[in-house]
Amino acid sequence: MTDPAHVEQIVRDGPAGRAAVVFVLPLFEEANRLRRTVRLAMRALAARGIASLLPDLPGQNESLLPTEAATLARWREALARHVRDEDAAVITAATRGGALIDDIDAAAHWRLAPASGASLLKTMMRTRIASDREYGRDTTIADLDRMAADAPLRLAGNLLSPTMIAELRSSESAPLDRCRTVALGAGGEDRLAGRPLWLQAEPGEDAALAEEIAGDIAQWMAACAIS
Amino acid sequence: MIYEGAREVEAAVRAVLGDVLGIDAARLAAFRDDSELFGALPELDSMAVAGLLTEMEDRLGITIDDDEVDGDIFETFGALVRFAQVKALG
């Protein structure tokens, strides 16, 4: 019997049986802001004959696992399983906090604007402080650190376990072989033109950025001789 | 006071406002020292402030202690730029 915690939705696009791109979204609220554009990038890859998949990791999106049971280690493990389950070569494509869990065995890696766990955690704590203040509660980062030491903490709509918070605090994206890293910005070899949708409250979508993402990943796959 | 690099810090603050609030280039370019921010920009609510502070930290290589953040630094574009300049350039 399949462990119910391991039944997560996977969105797939492109031809079956070919090398595939596994997308890793940013973490938490930032994922919602970029999902639509990543889906468009998957379409754009399919138009180039490249397959891709976007799995929910345990505790994300439609997963039945409660968010406080999620840890970065568990996400990394689930991601590695998705890569192993593919019949053909796989390249990971991670954005922002997704690059904290993409250090798994894959044919190659691609990263867009990787972020440190500490910086993601700080923004979420500041958001919690701002929301507490609107209810007349004066909370500090030190208060939140204390609360997070032994009980799940609600940050920006997510209940995070003490383990997850400790992992975030100390996580950087790991150095990887065969890994291309790009940033957003105008001009330059390692830059894609587009808006940092993950930062914006009402991001909408960026079809031009999706096209750039697909084009850059396709080129990197060709450079790594993955097909 | 004009510090070495003051212009670069101003450009970075302008870019962060554009990126976090989704403000287009034309509106962004029109920001002057006395342009009002908090209360004048519907996009700038207390949640957006959280993202602004962390992006300024990451891009300018500074650390912002939340105790030093009060409403005043978000009153005008000039006030925010000066806060960032003092942090980044001393």
Side-chain angles (χ1 to χ4, degrees):
Chain A
M1 200 175 101
T2 316
D3 176 353
H6 287 173
V7 182
E8 263 93 28
Q9 163 184 289
I10 303 178
V11 178
R12 285 179 182 274
D13 206 337
R18 302 276 296 276
V21 180
V22 175
F23 278 96
V24 193
L25 288 175
L27 307 183
F28 312 113
E29 173 59 16
E30 290 189 356
N32 302 325
R33 298 170 171 180
L34 197 67
R35 180 181 302 277
R36 168 84 192 158
T37 296
V38 163
R39 187 65 191 87
L40 292 175
M42 294 172 74
R43 280 273 73 200
L45 281 167
R48 290 168 166 83
I50 297 172
S52 61
L53 53 152
L54 174 60
D56 282 358
L57 301 178
Q60 292 179 348
N61 200 34
E62 308 289 349
S63 168
L64 295 174
L65 192 80
T67 58
E68 70 262 38
T71 63
L72 291 185
R74 193 165 185 172
W75 283 347
R76 188 178 296 109
E77 202 179 291
L79 195 61
R81 199 173 50 239
H82 285 298
V83 170
R84 281 198 305 272
D85 285 351
E86 292 301 301
D87 294 328
V90 170
I91 169 171
T92 63
T95 305
R96 297 280 287 169
L100 300 173
I101 54 170
D102 68 347
D103 48 326
I104 56 172
D105 193 19
H109 305 271
W110 183 91
R111 286 170 171 168
L112 170 62
S116 77
S119 136
L120 298 175
L121 182 63
K122 201 161 183 190
T123 302
M124 287 195 289
M125 285 192 166
R126 284 174 164 153
T127 305
R128 161 77 189 256
I129 290 168
S131 126
D132 280 3
R133 196 168 295 145
E134 283 174 8
Y135 289 96
R137 284 194 300 268
D138 227 354
T139 315
T140 64
I141 291 211
D143 292 337
L144 295 178
D145 281 340
R146 230 177 353 259
M147 290 157 70
D150 48 19
L153 183 67
R154 187 170 294 283
L155 288 182
N158 294 281
L159 207 49
L160 305 187
S161 69
T163 307
M164 173 67 94
I165 287 176
E167 285 176 320
L168 285 172
R169 198 174 278 131
S170 61
S171 282
E172 297 280 346
S173 49
L176 296 171
D177 290 336
R178 295 184 314 285
C179 179
R180 171 169 165 74
T181 301
V182 295
L184 287 190
E189 175 81 341
D190 299 328
R191 295 196 167 258
L192 306 184
R195 294 190 288 132
L197 302 167
W198 50 83
L199 296 179
Q200 300 177 0
E202 292 173 37
E205 65 184 49
D206 188 339
L209 175 60
E211 192 57 46
E212 291 232 7
I213 290 172
D216 200 82
I217 291 175
Q219 266 185 24
W220 180 233
M221 289 174 77
C224 295
I226 299 169
S227 59
Chain B
M1 275 185 290
I2 302 291
Y3 303 96
E4 186 92 17
R7 288 266 162 236
E8 284 77 4
V9 174
E10 182 188 318
V13 171
R14 206 181 284 272
V16 167
L17 281 172
D19 286 347
V20 174
L21 305 181
I23 293 175
D24 65 51
R27 257 178 85 201
L28 205 56
F31 282 171
R32 300 282 170 264
D33 261 13
D34 59 354
S35 299
E36 287 180 28
L37 298 181
F38 210 79
L41 299 178
E43 300 91 341
L44 180 57
D45 57 19
S46 50
M47 302 298 162
V49 165
L52 272 180
L53 292 175
T54 311
E55 276 304 297
M56 292 205 313
E57 286 184 328
D58 287 355
R59 294 195 206 179
L60 294 169
I62 58 177
T63 305
I64 300 171
D65 189 345
D66 289 71
D67 293 343
E68 54 191 352
V69 177
D70 53 30
D72 294 351
I73 72 165
F74 291 103
E75 204 153 290
T76 62
F77 179 65
L80 186 60
V81 169
R82 273 189 300 282
F83 173 79
Q85 284 170 338
V86 169
K87 278 273 156 197
L89 308 169

